[in-house]
Amino acid sequence: MSQQVNAKSVTRNVGWSVLSKTSTFGLKFVTVPILARLLSPEEFGAVAVALALVQFLAMIGGAGLASALILEPREDEETIHSVFWANLALSFLMAAGLFFWAEPLAGWLGAADAAPLLRLMSLLVPLQLAGDVAYALVARRMQFSKDALWSMMSESLAAIAAVALAIAGFGVVALVIQLFVAGVVRLAGLFFVSRYLPRLRFRLGEVTRLARFSLGLMGSEIANFVTFQSPMVVISRFLGLAEAGAYSAANRFSSIPNQVVLSAVMGVLFPAFSAMMHDRERRSQALMLSTQVTTLLLAPMMFGLWALAEPAMFLLFGPQWAAAWPVLGLLALSKGILTPCSTFIPYLKGAGHGGALFRWAVGRAVVTTAAVAYGAYEGTLVAAMTALCIVNALVLVGYSRLVFSADGTPFLSGFLRAVRPMLMAALMALAVRYALDHVLAPRLPATLQLAAGIALGGILYGVLVLLTERPLLRKLIELARRPKASPALP
C-alpha cells in the first residue's frame, strides 16, 4: 500500500468518497422521478434487463484481476500493463458475443424487445473494463479525494443528458445515452487521476498468477452480482416487462442512499482492511467502528423510506407509478435489513477470507434467486419483494456469524452492537408509519405528509440514538477533535 493507513487517512478518503456520491444524490433524487414520468415502465424494464447482462459480463471480464492488483505489495509496471491488456481483450470478445447473440439472450431473459438495446449496450463492456486498472491504482494509493471531482462530473453530466433527451422525446435512448456519457467521462477521470498510460507490454505469467489468486474474489463478486441482479431477470421472465420496469424504477430510487454511503465506504475499506491484514486488533476495532457508523447513517434512510413509501411514490413518480408504492417500501426495507452487513464484504476480502466469502456469496445468490422466483411464480411482485425481505433477514444473521467468527469476536455481543442502530431506525419507522396512517394521511396532502414524516422521523431517531449510542458518538467526536495525531484505527 502506497500510503500509511490510519484513522485520519481512512476518514478523509471516506469523506471525499461520500461527498462525491452525495453530490450526485440530489441529481438522481430529481432525475429518476423525472425520467419515470417521461418514460413507460416497459422502457425502464428493457434497459434494466439489458444492463443487468452487460454488467454481469463486465464483472466476468475483470476476473478479479483489478482487485488482485490492489493487494499486490508493490506497483510493477509489467504486471499492471499485462492486466490492462488482458481485461481489454476479453472485454471485446464478450462484447462481440453479446452483439451477435443479442436476440436469443434477450428472449431467454424474457425481454425479446430488448435485443436492439443489447447490441448497442454491448459497447459498455469494454468501456467499463478499460478503467479497471486505473481504478485499482487509485484505490491502492488511497487517492479518492482526487477521484471525487471526476466521479461527480460523470454522474452529473450523464443525468443532465438523460433528462434533456427524454424531454426532447428520445424515449428509451435517453437511458442508454446516460450510461455512455457516465462511462466515457468516468474513464477519462480515472486515467487522469491515476496518471496511468497503457503501454504495449504483456507478460502471460503475471496474468496467470493473479488470476489464480483472484479466483475466489471473482467468484464472490459474481455471486454477489447474481444476488443483486437476479430479481430483475426473474421478474421479467415471470411477470413481464411492465413489472420489471416498476421494480427497476423503485430499485433505482431506493438504492440512492446505498450508492451514497455504501459504494463510497466499501471502496475505501477494502484497501484499508488489506493494509491491516496482519494486525488483528486494529482490524477488529476498525470493523466494529465502520459497521456501527455506516449502520447509524444508512439504516434511518432505508427504514424511513419504507415508512414514507406511499406519499413518496405518488409525489415523486406520478399517478402512473402510484400503485407500485408497496414495491418501493419493501425494497427499502430489504436494503435496510442488510445495513449492518455493509462492511462485511470488504472486510472478508481485505482480511484474506476469500474462500469463506465465496461460499457464502454463492449460497446467498442461490437462496435469493429461489425465493424471489417462488414469490413471483406463486403471486405478484409484492410477494416476490416480501420473500426478498425474509431472505435478507436470514442473510444478516448468517453473514454476521461468519464475519465475527473470522474476526474472533463473540457473536452475540458483536451482533447486538452492530444491529443496535438498525433496531432504533426500525422503531422510528414504525412510529412514523403509524402517524402517517392514522394522523397525517387523513388530514394532509402528499407533500406535507412527506415533509412531516421526515421531520418526525429525524427527531425520533435523534432521540433514540442519543439514548442508546452515546459511547459511539463520544468516539466519533474524539476522532474529529484530534486530526493531527493521525492515530491508528479506531
Side-chain angles (χ1 to χ4, degrees):
M1 199 66 58
S2 300
Q3 76 175 59
Q4 183 182 3
V5 176
N6 50 48
K8 183 179 179 181
S9 66
V10 172
T11 302
R12 182 178 63 250
N13 280 284
V14 168
W16 276 107
S17 294
V18 171
L19 175 63
S20 69
K21 302 299 180 182
T22 304
S23 67
T24 63
F25 173 84
L27 274 174
K28 289 188 176 182
F29 188 86
V30 174
T31 56
V32 171
I34 290 176
L35 291 172
R37 289 172 178 266
L38 295 173
L39 304 174
S40 69
E42 289 81 4
E43 289 173 321
F44 258 90
V47 172
V49 171
L51 183 60
L53 184 55
V54 168
Q55 290 178 334
F56 178 70
L57 292 178
M59 181 168 292
I60 294 177
L65 294 176
S67 295
L69 280 180
I70 296 176
L71 297 175
E72 284 284 277
R74 63 186 184 88
E75 294 181 13
D76 177 72
E77 287 193 11
E78 293 279 345
T79 303
I80 293 171
H81 295 317
S82 299
V83 170
F84 175 83
W85 293 115
N87 275 1
L88 197 62
L90 188 55
S91 70
F92 275 108
L93 286 174
M94 289 190 300
L98 183 58
F99 183 89
F100 289 110
W101 291 84
E103 289 188 8
L105 285 171
W108 181 79
L109 292 171
D113 294 340
L117 288 176
L118 275 178
R119 289 195 176 94
L120 180 60
M121 292 169 64
S122 64
L123 294 175
L124 285 171
V125 179
L127 184 61
Q128 291 184 12
L129 285 179
D132 272 10
V133 167
Y135 178 78
L137 296 176
V138 171
R140 65 175 288 115
R141 298 168 185 167
M142 300 290 282
Q143 293 178 327
F144 296 97
S145 60
K146 297 180 180 180
D147 178 53
L149 177 63
W150 284 94
S151 180
M152 291 185 279
M153 190 184 305
S154 66
E155 294 293 339
S156 301
L157 292 176
I160 293 170
V163 172
L165 290 171
I167 293 174
F170 282 84
V172 71
V173 175
L175 295 175
V176 178
I177 295 299
Q178 180 181 19
L179 299 172
F180 277 97
V181 171
V184 170
V185 178
R186 179 73 175 134
L187 181 63
L190 286 172
F191 277 105
F192 179 81
V193 171
S194 66
R195 304 295 184 185
Y196 173 64
L197 183 63
R199 296 181 180 179
L200 290 174
R201 298 180 185 176
F202 185 80
R203 188 188 301 166
L204 182 60
E206 288 298 297
V207 174
T208 304
R209 178 180 64 84
L210 291 180
R212 286 198 300 264
F213 178 78
S214 62
L215 280 177
L217 295 179
M218 176 192 67
S220 62
E221 292 286 353
I222 292 175
N224 285 325
F225 181 85
V226 171
T227 298
F228 297 130
Q229 296 295 337
S230 62
M232 172 59 64
V233 178
V234 168
I235 291 165
S236 175
R237 285 187 61 84
F238 287 115
L239 300 176
L241 277 181
E243 294 285 66
Y247 170 83
S248 175
N251 191 49
R252 278 189 173 209
F253 191 76
S254 64
S255 294
I256 290 175
N258 277 7
Q259 293 172 349
V260 171
V261 178
L262 291 190
S263 57
V265 170
M266 291 176 70
V268 176
L269 288 182
F270 172 39
F273 282 132
S274 300
M276 292 182 273
M277 181 180 294
H278 302 295
D279 191 336
R280 183 206 167 273
E281 184 177 355
R282 289 176 64 220
R283 193 179 68 237
S284 179
Q285 293 172 341
L287 169 66
M288 184 54 65
L289 178 61
S290 58
T291 301
Q292 288 179 297
V293 171
T294 52
T295 305
L296 187 74
L297 293 173
L298 192 57
M301 300 182 197
M302 305 315 303
F303 283 93
L305 183 55
W306 168 80
L308 298 171
E310 187 170 6
M313 199 75 181
F314 177 81
L315 181 65
L316 298 175
F317 287 77
Q320 66 171 334
W321 299 85
W325 75 264
V327 178
L328 175 62
L330 289 169
L331 273 170
L333 182 61
S334 71
K335 298 176 193 298
I337 291 170
L338 288 180
T339 49
C341 299
S342 56
T343 60
F344 291 173
I345 291 177
Y347 172 83
L348 291 171
K349 289 171 61 177
H353 297 284
L357 176 61
F358 170 69
R359 291 189 295 272
W360 275 86
V362 170
R364 179 187 175 190
V366 171
V367 173
T368 299
T369 304
V372 174
Y374 177 80
Y377 182 75
E378 294 293 333
T380 62
L381 184 55
V382 171
M385 296 300 96
T386 302
L388 182 61
C389 290
I390 295 172
V391 167
N392 282 355
L394 298 175
V395 168
L396 169 63
V397 177
Y399 257 126
S400 299
R401 183 174 291 277
L402 170 65
V403 169
F404 292 132
S405 174
D407 187 60
T409 300
F411 169 70
L412 188 58
S413 63
F415 183 72
L416 290 177
R417 289 174 64 191
V419 304
R420 195 164 53 211
M422 183 190 76
L423 297 178
M424 296 305 102
L427 287 175
M428 173 272 293
L430 288 171
V432 171
R433 188 58 181 262
Y434 181 86
L436 180 67
D437 291 341
H438 294 86
V439 180
L440 301 178
R443 295 175 174 83
L444 300 176
T447 305
L448 293 181
Q449 290 177 40
L450 200 58
I454 293 172
L456 177 61
I459 294 171
L460 289 175
Y461 187 67
V463 171
L464 290 171
V465 167
L466 286 174
L467 290 174
T468 61
E469 298 294 343
R470 285 193 295 270
L472 174 61
L473 295 176
R474 283 196 296 267
K475 185 181 294 185
L476 294 176
I477 293 172
E478 181 184 355
L479 281 175
R481 284 179 175 173
R482 30 176 212 175
K484 296 180 180 180
S486 300
L489 277 169

